Amino acid sequence: MLLNLLSEEASATWFPLEFGTPFDAARAVLFWIAAAYIVLAVILLIAVRGEKRKALLRIGGIVTVAFAAVLCLTFLIIAFIEDGILPILFYPLLVLIVVLAANGLILFFNRSKGTLIALGCLSAAALIATFVCMGINFSNGNALENNGVEAEDVNTVALYVCAVVLIAVIIAAAFLAGRKDKKGFDTRSITFAAVCIAMSFALSYLKVVEMPQGGSITIASLLPLMIYSYMFGTKKGVLAGFIYGILQAFQDTYILHPAQFLLDYPVAFSAIGLAGMFARVDALRFPQVKFLLGAIVAAAGRFLSHFLSGIFAFGTFATIEPVWLYSLIYQAGYVLPDIAIAIVLGVIVFSSKSFLSVVNRYAAPSLPKQAPKQKGETAAENK
């Protein structure tokens, strides 16, 4: 049954190798530029030490935020031209990208309380405006008609309830797990957030399988976000996942309802930010175990979000009954393999002493003072 669902309309498309149209070529070229940039950034982080590394982090962070904004704007414009995103959705998303990018750049220069409040209000206003436009588009029936769905096929109340409940649970879990985090956003954490989001976004284009109603199996695209959450805590991790989820909406556009948009994009990927929830649990001695347990929780959160969206938003596409079983099989067909690849590679990476020394060196300021140090960590910090 699962193989039949996977083979109905799914196609194995490697977007970085597609040059058939000008838009495919633009996507492929931007991907390889992003990949080269990431490799260069990693090499420089390893090679540069001391005070020069601090300057590198600051400059690299600014460049990364600007580059990520250019990527997002390009992909959004491509989607507007190629996939026919309506103007009522295109323009608010365009403004949202510009606002988020501007806010990220400003935070490198000014992180005062007043600035944080002003930027938070501006971002919230842009986000609310985007949701309002989505709501107008949905009320006009355009979103449903464009996706071949009737209004009665979508359970609006259930979608909103599920979205609100999951948002509350993720936020509560993030603050509960991150209650020991004493350090707020600084240049280090902002820079790593930008790099990890960019890495995940680039890796998300390495698709093994793309599903007919959205979703794909990638080459560990979520691993950088999981590592970021482990290093800097769940509160920062959830925020990074939220931003990444919005970016995913530009790449894999299946939006027919505002609450469905929340469940399939920002909420689903915010849950990935919970991957670091056991990083500071002293009772768990091995980092591989800490990562594995957190990744399983993150995977469960993402799967549940997609599963509920599949039932209440995309139930009309079900080819078997009951609808919940179809959604369960459909989501399991790509979410579980996608997460499994990231988890397996993550456990392997966290088994490396060299990698752990890097994690301890860069994440040390965000760790609680009572956290036990790995052998050799003190020497690594003093280098």
Side-chain angles (χ1 to χ4, degrees), residues 143-203:
L144 299 177
E145 181 180 347
N146 292 338
N147 286 277
V149 180
E150 300 293 335
E152 57 269 18
D153 295 329
V154 176
N155 193 328
T156 298
V157 175
L159 282 173
Y160 278 118
V161 170
C162 291
V164 170
V165 171
L166 280 181
I167 289 172
V169 170
I170 291 172
I171 292 176
F175 275 86
L176 181 63
R179 63 188 183 280
K180 294 182 180 180
D181 297 339
K182 303 299 181 182
K183 196 172 183 64
F185 278 100
D186 56 7
T187 301
R188 183 194 303 262
S189 60
I190 293 174
T191 301
F192 271 86
V195 170
C196 289
I197 291 171
M199 288 179 67
S200 287
F201 191 64
L203 288 172

Side-chain angles (χ1 to χ4, degrees), residues 52-357:
K52 291 183 178 180
R53 177 180 282 144
K54 294 182 179 179
L56 174 66
L57 285 172
R58 184 180 181 85
I59 296 173
I62 294 172
V63 173
T64 300
V65 171
F67 181 60
V70 171
L71 283 178
C72 294
L73 289 172
T74 302
F75 288 129
L76 179 61
I77 293 171
I78 289 175
F80 177 64
I81 298 174
E82 192 174 68
D83 300 330
I85 294 180
L86 296 176
I88 195 174
L89 297 178
F90 171 75
Y91 291 111
L93 287 173
L94 183 68
V95 172
L96 182 62
I97 294 174
V98 173
V99 168
L100 291 177
N103 289 355
L105 293 174
I106 291 173
L107 286 175
F108 280 101
F109 302 96
N110 189 337
R111 291 186 295 276
S112 65
K113 185 176 181 180
T115 301
L116 291 174
I117 293 175
L119 296 182
C121 291
L122 186 61
S123 299
L127 193 60
I128 291 172
T130 301
F131 289 141
V132 168
C133 291
M134 287 181 181
I136 294 173
N137 186 51
F138 172 74
S139 64
N140 290 336
N142 293 330
L144 299 177
E145 181 180 347
N146 292 338
N147 286 277
V149 180
E150 300 293 335
E152 57 269 18
D153 295 329
V154 176
N155 193 328
T156 298
V157 175
L159 282 173
Y160 278 118
V161 170
C162 291
V164 170
V165 171
L166 280 181
I167 289 172
V169 170
I170 291 172
I171 292 176
F175 275 86
L176 181 63
R179 63 188 183 280
K180 294 182 180 180
D181 297 339
K182 303 299 181 182
K183 196 172 183 64
F185 278 100
D186 56 7
T187 301
R188 183 194 303 262
S189 60
I190 293 174
T191 301
F192 271 86
V195 170
C196 289
I197 291 171
M199 288 179 67
S200 287
F201 191 64
L203 288 172
S204 69
Y205 275 88
L206 289 178
K207 299 180 181 181
V208 179
V209 174
E210 186 174 17
M211 302 295 282
Q213 278 88 50
S216 57
I217 302 174
T218 64
I219 307 298
S221 63
L222 297 178
L223 183 56
L225 289 175
M226 291 179 171
I227 293 174
Y228 179 78
S229 175
Y230 187 97
M231 292 176 63
F232 294 98
T234 51
K235 289 185 284 188
K236 297 183 182 71
V238 166
L239 180 58
F242 178 86
I243 295 172
Y244 174 77
I246 294 177
L247 300 184
Q248 275 296 296
F250 308 143
Q251 180 192 124
D252 186 17
T253 311
Y254 285 90
I255 302 174
L256 53 83
H257 189 281
Q260 172 266 322
F261 165 78
L262 282 174
L263 285 172
D264 279 333
Y265 298 106
V267 175
F269 293 104
S270 291
I272 299 301
L274 298 177
M277 67 186 305
F278 295 102
R280 291 151 181 80
V281 177
D282 299 346
L284 301 174
R285 293 181 54 192
F286 301 102
Q288 301 96 318
V289 176
K290 295 179 181 181
F291 173 80
L292 176 63
L293 293 177
I296 290 174
V297 173
R302 182 192 171 191
F303 179 84
L304 181 60
S305 189
H306 291 314
F307 171 67
L308 294 172
S309 172
I311 294 175
F312 300 119
F314 294 98
T316 187
F317 296 104
T319 56
I320 61 174
E321 295 291 342
V323 173
W324 67 264
L325 180 59
Y326 174 81
S327 182
L328 180 68
I329 296 173
Y330 183 93
Q331 311 307 334
Y334 74 93
V335 173
L336 297 186
D338 190 49
I339 289 289
I341 293 172
I343 290 177
V344 170
L345 291 179
V347 170
I348 294 173
V349 166
F350 274 90
S351 299
S352 167
K353 292 183 179 180
S354 299
F355 175 79
L356 288 177
S357 67

Side-chain angles (χ1 to χ4, degrees), residues 356-374:
L356 288 177
S357 67
V358 174
V359 169
N360 291 328
R361 185 191 312 123
Y362 285 109
S366 67
L367 294 172
K369 292 181 179 180
Q370 66 271 27
K373 293 186 176 182
Q374 299 287 333

